[in-house]
Amino acid sequence: MPLKIKRVYDEAEPGDGFRVLVDRIWPRGVSKERAAVDLWLKEAAPSTELRKWFGHDPEKFEEFKKRYRAELDAKPGVLDPITSRLGAGEVVTLVYSARDAERNQAVVLEWVIGL
């Protein structure tokens, strides 16, 4: 499965394939041209409440993963735009804006999709 994760502030590259922004809020200071996303899938992003509760606190990440997975499970088909492209053999890059490259929603989505 050609699934990648990349910070929206990093340069877009041809090898990124289909770029999907998985943030609920548009990244600060990034134009749509620079972001170069093919799809803004804010429906797959963590809820505002969950995002605020998590606050990117590393100690809360394991619980964040559980709560976020529960939110995704409550939205059947929300990841179909990603999984259908992966199933067709396309490269998909999940794009996020968080500073922490190891503990963010894109990392959780990669884990969920890979299950």
Side-chain angles (χ1 to χ4, degrees):
M1 216 172 8
L3 181 63
K4 300 178 178 184
I5 297 177
K6 194 172 199 177
R7 197 160 183 247
V8 72
Y9 300 102
D10 297 336
E11 288 295 320
E13 299 171 324
D16 291 346
F18 191 75
R19 290 171 53 93
V20 181
L21 178 64
V22 292
D23 282 350
R24 186 162 301 277
I25 300 170
W26 189 264
R28 186 176 304 190
V30 177
S31 69
K32 291 187 178 181
E33 293 77 27
R34 184 167 188 281
V37 296
D38 298 297
L39 176 65
W40 182 11
L41 195 59
K42 55 183 147 182
E43 301 83 19
S47 67
T48 300
E49 297 79 17
L50 181 57
R51 184 177 51 80
K52 287 181 178 181
W53 170 84
F54 175 43
H56 296 284
D57 179 346
E59 293 183 15
K60 292 182 177 179
F61 186 64
E62 289 304 314
E63 183 62 25
F64 170 77
K65 284 182 5 182
K66 291 176 192 171
R67 292 182 186 192
Y68 184 29
R69 176 66 193 259
E71 286 186 357
L72 292 169
D73 287 346
K75 300 176 193 176
V78 73
L79 298 178
D80 287 354
I82 298 169
T83 57
S84 64
R85 289 181 180 277
L86 290 170
E90 290 185 53
V91 174
V92 176
T93 298
L94 303 177
V95 182
Y96 67 94
S97 62
R99 289 184 184 148
D100 188 338
E102 296 177 15
R103 292 174 289 272
N104 62 66
Q105 70 272 17
V107 171
V108 177
L109 287 172
E110 178 184 42
W111 172 71
V112 168
I113 291 167
L115 292 178

